[in-house]
């Protein structure tokens, strides 16, 4: 399964959170973005509950840098 | 340059808009998602103004199916 | 699997959409609510893609009454 | 009376807040969800002001874990 | 009971909707406002379900002018 | 001039902030509400910049209890 | 007085609405933007009620192209 | 390139953040505003990544006063 996760982070913590995301193998891509959210990540996982493991990894590493997250689970689509 | 675009579409028009996105070469991936938005797409373009061409393509093909869009321009990041 | 779906409907169409939801067996409960959204429904489904069938049922029956939907897939929890 | 309450909680505090909700008898169901909010709960209460007691219970037990709440009071509906 | 209702209306329909609200006795005050919403109204009603009657009155009179509403039921407070 | 101000406050701090608002003469009414925001207040002021004085009063008295505010300046309307 | 107005417009109508804004003398600047909103405009006006005239001008010229507006009245600041 | 940045700041910190913005040469204008956001700024920069330098300047000077930012990159428009 796939999900997109959008992050709001502390002002100026974008690069630090991006590096943490790069160390998590389930995170297949992550980008600093401009707009309402600061980082967009694409995550691969086996079943819905595994998304919780990702959250726990993030919590141990940069909990106080992340102010808000939105998770969008993928139903279907294409990539090329 | 890269951008993520989130779409809200008419109830039940998700698959139709996904197919239109598949015919636009700048759209590198697009997924039907669950949450506040219905489709997430990743778009490649040369300069900021070229994003307007994508919008015009979409307008000709499925204008009345798309209710809302949010564009997030990418600053930097990784993909693997 | 379980999901909550929040609906914004046309002004005054709350009761009509509630009746349509009552005819869909996967909808286990649905309530007219006050706030930003107008109706909250709890839906049971086998796998993530089956949520699409619910959307198609709704589309055939009251497409133009529903202005916006937000889907929140359940990870875990309790009911009593 | 019934109300749905949506919670945004500290990153990784979902399970802890879920347990606190399980100890509050007025909370009839509560689920960790994916999307903009992290937990959805259904609450039963006698009159509108009693919702304040629930808030005070939550405050004593996990105030600093809960970042945001949205309350949606139920007008009418069905459950099966 | 009291509730505040915020309205988004069609561009330029503010005055027309304000006049309709003035004809509804339960509407105790209503103002055109600047910001995300266009009109704020304070409504008095006997019980939660009576709010539905207000909605039906509005629907008959200016349904297609009103794009979105948010209802906030009052718990307690003061006025002077 | 008139303005409505919506407040999000710390979980359980609704009554405390309501009392602070009652001590500010420009606040003509204030109510604890259910929904996305926690308190709605109506404020009277001479000119747009005077709204800043209200904010400073609030800051001295309960800064850390107030998480978010939205101000909606009134153009015109009625009260009865 | 000054105000910023953010517009959401019909997909692909950005340039058309921009041209209409250019014909309204009170609009001192207007830009097509990427994000949640599509156009940002800075407007100069004598008193709060004059903002209504701008809305009426826009309504006559491109009512059905504009889906949503947010108005932010300026208190003070600098420009260079 | 141009971008608008909207800020939410700590209650009562509007003037302090405005002064910090005045010391950053890329900030061409900044205003305290009423509505959902507290300050609107217009920023000039060479390329998308330079927006990051502005963020770092702000972080060093008033990180804990700024609660949320939204960045809207300009595609095209007019100023007079």
């Amino acid at each position: 399964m796939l999900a997109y996760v959008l992050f709001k982070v502390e002002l100026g913590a974008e690069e630090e959170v991006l590096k943490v995301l790069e160390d998590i193998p389930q995170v297949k891509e992550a980008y600093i973005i401009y707009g309402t959210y600061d980082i967009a990540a694409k995550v691969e996982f086996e079943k819905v509950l595994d998304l919780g493991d990702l959250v726990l990894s993030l919590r141990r590493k940069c909990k106080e840098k992340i102010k808000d997250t939105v998770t969008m689970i993928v139903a279907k689509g294409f990539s090329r």
Side-chain angles (χ1 to χ4, degrees), chain A residues 1 12 18-19 33 36 40 42 53 57-59 66 70 79:
Chain A
M1 295 177 78
L18 191 71
K19 269 184 206 124
I33 53 176
T36 306
K42 192 165 68 176
D53 293 345
S57 296
L58 282 172
R59 189 196 191 184
I66 296 176
V70 173
S79 173

Side-chain angles (χ1 to χ4, degrees), chain A residues 17 58 69 80:
Chain A
V17 175
L58 282 172
T69 62
R80 61 193 166 200

Side-chain angles (χ1 to χ4, degrees), chain A residues 4-73:
Chain A
Y4 284 100
V5 186
L6 300 176
F7 298 85
K8 283 196 190 189
V9 303
E10 286 289 314
L11 189 65
E14 292 83 1
E15 304 243 356
E16 188 184 333
V17 175
L18 191 71
K19 269 184 206 124
V20 170
L21 290 169
E22 204 162 359
D23 289 343
I24 300 174
Q26 300 101 305
V27 178
K28 294 309 172 193
E29 62 181 58
Y31 293 101
I32 297 175
I33 53 176
Y34 295 112
T36 306
Y37 288 89
D38 304 311
I39 294 178
K42 192 165 68 176
V43 188
E44 223 173 83
F45 56 100
E46 288 284 312
K47 54 186 189 302
V48 166
L49 273 175
D50 292 347
L51 264 174
D53 293 345
L54 170 67
V55 165
L56 283 176
S57 296
L58 282 172
R59 189 196 191 184
R60 275 190 293 266
K61 285 170 184 163
C62 56
K63 178 192 169 188
E64 66 287 339
K65 303 290 182 196
I66 296 176
K67 294 188 300 181
D68 197 7
T69 62
V70 173
T71 306
M72 305 174 291
I73 293 176

